[in-house]
Amino acid sequence: MHISRGAGLAIAGLVVAGAATATGIALTRTPRRDDSVEVPDTPAPTAPPTAGTTPLPVPSEPSPGPAPDPQSGPAPATTGEITAAVVGPTTYTVRSGDTLSAIARRFGTTVAKLTELNQIADPNRIRVGQVLKLPTSVATTPAPPTPAPTTPTTPTSPPASGQPRVPSGPAISRVPGAGKRVALTFDDGPNGAYTDSILATLKRRHVKGTFYVIGQQAARDGARLTRMRDAGHAIGNHSWDHSQLTKLSRADVQSQLKRTSDAIERTTGKRPDTFRPPYGARNAAVDEVARGLGMRDIIWDVDTVDWSRPGADAIARTAVDNARNGSIILMHDGGGNREQTVAALDRVITGLQAKGFELVTVPQLVAAGG
Ligand code: NI
């Protein structure tokens, strides 16, 4: 039931002069817009977007329902941009979906400071396009992690550090500018049957991964989340209960994402700054809610289709054969029988390293892409 179709096949992207304008078409059985982009390492391409041609895998598990809502309109023009990036931004242009508290969190400051610095009369009323001054002394310093009041485990473990902050921006499916690096991602955990095996293999191979966790599972499995964090892995938001968010009201999407980020923060002390929509299903509302909560959409460009249980060899081959510089590779540590994924992981790592790839977390990949 965790079918990861669609977005992995939609690698079309176009980035214009560093601004966040992207267009792409997803060639899936149910065409839908997908404006995820590859972060370019060279000046913006001027070629038109190209559509993916990989045949759509036939799901062997029940479909989550009708395909992603095709009526999701184009995302609003993204106007936000960060200026003066040499020593950290000094101003920020408000985007659609922003709130002052989200902006404050993103730049490691407070609503009070932003309100004062910008002489804002009502913190609840900022407009798109409004240029906010940022306190320069904290512009590049992430907010300190909030203490975890309900976490009984590992009080002496270090705060969630070691992961670079992921700046806001358009969705990412690959980071070509990251050089010979790729990111392994594991969705739908934490899971009592498989996550520990994945963690053990990653530890034995000295590899860091990124886990897109389901909020309601994370909320009752804080110990496993803490272990992920302490082992140096990155943790992202994969919604509260793996709903297809394009079918929910904006208020419900907000609830799905916020409850999950709250649960992750309570356990790990760090709010996630990346989000992966279940099934890759996105629309403008989903993107705006995620952005408002300080999260960037992370899709993928290599889908191992491990949920369909094609065999460990096939999973490994798909990952290794399709990996390119900056690839984001989709696998699962929950949501169904993942024995094949567990069995494949060692081969995946061996194959990718044999091709010269360093395996890093998604935040590290994004940072490496500059
Ligand atoms: Ni999933």
Side-chain angles (χ1 to χ4, degrees):
M1 66 191 199
H2 296 276
I3 297 164
S4 307
R5 70 180 172 207
L9 308 175
I11 312 174
L14 179 65
V15 176
V16 180
T21 304
T23 306
I25 302 297
L27 275 192
T28 67
R29 184 168 46 202
T30 51
R32 68 180 172 79
R33 188 173 187 283
D34 187 321
D35 60 357
S36 64
V37 300
E38 297 183 349
V39 178
D41 58 335
T42 54
T46 53
T50 53
T53 55
T54 312
L56 186 71
V58 178
S60 67
E61 296 182 5
S63 162
D69 187 354
Q71 73 176 6
S72 56
T78 309
T79 57
E81 64 178 12
I82 294 171
T83 56
V86 178
V87 294
T90 57
T91 64
Y92 176 78
T93 306
V94 175
R95 304 175 186 212
S96 173
D98 274 341
T99 64
L100 208 54
S101 64
I103 294 168
R105 193 162 54 239
R106 198 176 306 154
F107 293 101
T109 184
T110 62
V111 170
K113 276 189 191 162
L114 286 178
T115 305
E116 183 189 350
L117 190 62
N118 293 280
Q119 300 180 316
I120 295 170
D122 180 353
N124 293 318
R125 299 185 75 121
I126 54 176
R127 36 179 190 81
V128 172
Q130 185 174 356
V131 177
L132 298 177
K133 291 181 211 161
L134 299 172
T136 51
S137 60
V138 298
T140 58
T141 308
T146 306
T150 61
T151 305
T153 53
T154 57
T156 58
S157 58
S161 58
Q163 300 298 335
R165 190 178 61 80
V166 175
S168 65
I172 295 173
S173 58
R174 180 180 164 233
V175 188
K180 292 286 283 183
R181 296 181 182 85
V182 297
L184 298 179
T185 63
F186 303 93
D187 287 13
D188 301 352
N191 179 287
Y194 306 110
T195 302
D196 292 351
S197 300
I198 298 285
L199 287 171
T201 300
L202 294 174
K203 181 178 183 184
R204 183 164 47 77
R205 300 299 303 269
H206 306 287
V207 162
K208 307 302 180 198
T210 303
F211 290 83
Y212 284 98
V213 301
I214 295 175
Q216 65 179 2
Q217 295 165 210
R220 58 176 184 248
D221 196 358
R224 215 164 246 116
L225 227 60
T226 306
R227 285 208 295 280
M228 288 176 186
R229 176 201 64 184
D230 291 350
H233 305 300
I235 298 171
N237 184 323
H238 195 43
S239 85
W240 181 254
D241 62 5
H242 211 274
S243 289
Q244 191 171 325
L245 301 178
T246 48
K247 301 168 86 68
L248 302 185
S249 70
R250 178 183 290 257
D252 285 344
V253 172
Q254 173 83 22
S255 170
Q256 285 269 344
L257 271 52
K258 183 173 185 307
R259 289 176 78 192
T260 302
S261 286
D262 288 349
I264 294 170
E265 182 178 24
R266 265 199 310 278
T267 302
T268 68
K270 184 182 184 229
R271 270 185 106 68
D273 55 11
T274 65
F275 159 68
R276 171 168 286 166
Y279 314 104
R282 305 159 48 214
N283 58 20
V286 171
D287 285 357
E288 283 175 23
V289 168
R291 195 182 309 130
L293 289 167
M295 294 187 291
R296 188 153 181 179
D297 283 3
I298 304 294
I299 316 299
W300 58 84
D301 70 307
V302 177
D303 187 352
T304 63
V305 209
D306 60 337
W307 55 266
S308 70
R309 291 195 265 161
D313 278 336
I315 293 171
R317 211 165 39 239
T318 301
V320 174
D321 289 353
N322 293 289
R324 298 182 287 165
N325 285 5
S327 277
I328 298 173
I329 300 171
L330 173 65
M331 292 188 283
H332 294 82
D333 66 323
N337 183 326
R338 306 302 181 216
E339 286 173 9
Q340 292 185 0
T341 307
V342 169
L345 182 56
D346 202 63
R347 276 169 263 181
V348 169
I349 293 170
T350 298
L352 291 171
Q353 290 180 339
K355 287 178 80 173
F357 289 115
E358 180 188 359
L359 278 60
V360 299
T361 66
V362 165
Q364 289 166 343
L365 192 73
V366 174

